[in-house]
Amino acid sequence: MNISRIIFALFALFIVLLVSANDSFRIEELTAIGLFVYFLLNFIDSIGKSYNPLDVLILIALFQCMVMPTVVYHVYNDDIGIKALKYDMTVSADRYYGFIFPAVIALIIGIKLPGVAQRSYQQRIYQTIQRAKQHLQGKGNVGFLFIIIGFVSGIMTFFVPGDLNYVVYLFEKLLYVGVLYIYFSDFKSKKLYLGLAFFFIFSKSLVAGMFGELVYIVMLGSLLVLLGQKIKNYLKFGIALAGMVFIFLIQSVKSEYRAAAWSGTGGGASLYLELVQDRLSDPGKFFDWTTLFPFVNRANQGMIIGKVMDHVPARAPFANGETIFTSLAASFVPRLLWPNKPIAGGKVNMERFTGFVIDGYSMNISPLGEAYGNFDVEGGIVFMFFYGLFFALVITMLLQIGKKRPTILLWIPVLFLNSVQIETDILMCVNSMIKSLLFVWFCYWAGDRFLRLKL
C-alpha cells in the first residue's frame, strides 16, 4: 500500500476534525472538505510520477460544487444583499447535498474505475512519453510548423466569422501542441521558440480578457512536461502553491481588468500588472470575507446548480435526456445540415433550466446541473458515473493508440482543455472532445498523406 496515501488520508481526517469543532457542519460538508484535501495532496504528490488530466476535473468538481457551496451556506447565504442579487444557494442544504454529494462521488468512481482495473496505468503513461521523445528526435521542425500554423490561426480568430471560426480555433490549438513537440524534441534554440509561443498565448489572453484557457492549458501542459522528472516534495508543494496563488490573483483582478479591456478604455500588460500589484500590496484583503466574496461567488458552481434544482421541476419539466442526446448529435452533424442545432455558451440552458435570461456575459449550468435537469436526482447520479467513465475510457483509448503513435499523448492538453472544466455544459465538454479527436485524426492523416511527416 502507498504510504503517502495513508499519510494524506490521515491529514485530511485531521483537517476534518478541526473543522468539525464547529458542530453546524453537515456530514456531507465535512466529507467534501476531507475528500478535497486528500485528492489535492495526492494530485500534488503525483507531479512527475503520473499524468491524468481527469484528476483536475475531480478537484474542480469537489471545490466548485461542494467546498464553495459549504462556504456560502455558512457565511453568505442569509445575507439580505446576497439574496437580493440572487447569489445565494436558493435551495436548502439538505436538498442540495442530497443530490450533489452522491453525484460527485459517482463522477469520481467513473473516472477512477478504468485505472483501478489497469494497475499499469502510471507505467504506460511514462513509457509512452519516453517513446514520444525518441520518435521526435530530429523532428523538431514539426513542432515549429505547428507553432507557425497556430500563431497565424490565433490572429485569424479575430476576423473569421461563423462556424468557420471554430475550425480556425482548432488550428490555433496547434500552437500548444507545437510547444510540446519542440520541448520533447532535440530542436535547437527551443527555449527561444517556447518563450515566444508563451508570450503570444499570454498576450492574446490579455487582449481578450479571457484567462481560463490560459490557466487550464498551462496546468495540463506543465504536468505533462514534468512527467518522469524527479522532483523533491518541497518543490512540488512550492509549484502547487505558486499555481494556486497565480489562479487566485487572476480571479481576483479578472472582473476589473475585463471591464476595462472590453470597454475600450484600457487593458494591456500595464493595467494587469497594476491590478495585481494593488492586490499584493494589501494581503489582508485576501482574508476579508467581504473582499473575498467575488472570488467565492465566481468559484461557486453550486449557486447555479441550486437554481436548477429550484426551477426544475417546480416551474419547468425534466428534459428526460433531450439536451444530452441533442449534444451528442450536435457533435457529429455540421451546422450546414442542421442550421438550428444548439450553440454552446449557456444562454439556452440557463433560460430553460433556471429561468434566468443572460445577455452580455457567460454563465452555464455545468454537467452536474444538466444531469439533474434531465434525469432528476437518482438518474442524474447514474449519469454522472457514465460521464466520468466516458472520459476515462478516452484516456484508455489514447494509451492504446500510443503504442503506435506515442506523440498522441502530447495532444492531451488540447483534447481535455474543455472537458476538465465544470462550469460549462455537456454540449461544450463532449462536443469539444469529439471534434478535437476528429481534428487530431485529420492532422495525423494529413501529415502522412500530404506532408510525408510521421507526426
Side-chain angles (χ1 to χ4, degrees), residues 186-253:
D186 56 351
F187 193 72
K188 294 181 179 180
S189 304
K190 67 168 66 176
K191 291 183 180 180
L192 172 63
Y193 292 107
L194 294 178
L196 290 174
F198 182 78
F199 175 77
F200 174 75
I201 294 168
F202 187 73
S203 297
K204 190 178 181 188
S205 296
L206 282 176
V207 172
M210 305 292 286
F211 299 96
E213 182 172 298
L214 173 68
V215 170
Y216 284 114
I217 203 70
V218 169
M219 182 188 304
L220 295 176
S222 298
L223 292 171
L224 193 58
V225 165
L226 294 172
L227 182 62
Q229 299 188 25
K230 293 182 179 180
I231 308 171
K232 295 183 178 180
N233 287 331
Y234 74 86
L235 187 56
K236 288 182 183 181
F237 283 89
I239 292 172
L241 180 61
M244 286 186 281
V245 170
F246 175 68
I247 294 172
F248 190 77
L249 281 173
I250 284 180
Q251 290 291 345
S252 67
V253 305

Side-chain angles (χ1 to χ4, degrees), residues 186-357:
D186 56 351
F187 193 72
K188 294 181 179 180
S189 304
K190 67 168 66 176
K191 291 183 180 180
L192 172 63
Y193 292 107
L194 294 178
L196 290 174
F198 182 78
F199 175 77
F200 174 75
I201 294 168
F202 187 73
S203 297
K204 190 178 181 188
S205 296
L206 282 176
V207 172
M210 305 292 286
F211 299 96
E213 182 172 298
L214 173 68
V215 170
Y216 284 114
I217 203 70
V218 169
M219 182 188 304
L220 295 176
S222 298
L223 292 171
L224 193 58
V225 165
L226 294 172
L227 182 62
Q229 299 188 25
K230 293 182 179 180
I231 308 171
K232 295 183 178 180
N233 287 331
Y234 74 86
L235 187 56
K236 288 182 183 181
F237 283 89
I239 292 172
L241 180 61
M244 286 186 281
V245 170
F246 175 68
I247 294 172
F248 190 77
L249 281 173
I250 284 180
Q251 290 291 345
S252 67
V253 305
K254 184 172 68 174
S255 298
E256 294 176 60
Y257 178 83
R258 189 178 288 177
W262 289 1
S263 67
T265 59
S270 59
L271 174 62
Y272 188 79
L273 291 174
E274 181 182 331
L275 292 172
V276 169
Q277 185 177 4
D278 176 66
R279 292 295 186 275
L280 294 175
S281 65
D282 188 3
K285 291 181 179 179
F286 294 133
F287 303 99
D288 179 77
W289 284 119
T290 302
T291 308
L292 271 176
F293 178 72
F295 172 79
V296 172
N297 182 61
R298 178 67 182 83
N300 179 27
Q301 188 63 35
M303 181 265 289
I304 301 177
I305 297 173
K307 286 169 174 49
V308 173
M309 298 179 70
D310 179 62
H311 191 72
V312 179
R315 288 177 289 280
F318 290 106
N320 297 316
E322 177 190 333
T323 66
I324 310 294
F325 298 129
T326 301
S327 297
L328 291 174
S331 300
F332 295 98
V333 181
R335 192 168 297 278
L336 181 66
L337 301 178
W338 187 1
N340 296 322
K341 80 173 185 176
I343 300 174
K347 184 173 183 178
V348 174
N349 276 342
M350 283 295 294
E351 184 172 359
R352 175 170 185 171
F353 291 109
T354 70
F356 286 86
V357 178

Side-chain angles (χ1 to χ4, degrees), residues 349-379:
N349 276 342
M350 283 295 294
E351 184 172 359
R352 175 170 185 171
F353 291 109
T354 70
F356 286 86
V357 178
I358 62 173
D359 189 25
Y361 57 95
S362 177
M363 188 177 288
N364 217 324
I365 62 173
S366 83
L368 285 151
E370 194 168 355
Y372 171 84
N374 274 273
F375 303 117
D376 203 349
V377 173
E378 292 81 4

Side-chain angles (χ1 to χ4, degrees), residues 134-148:
Q134 296 173 4
H135 176 81
L136 289 174
Q137 296 306 299
K139 297 180 181 178
N141 59 317
V142 175
F144 181 70
L145 176 63
F146 280 170
I147 287 178
I148 294 298

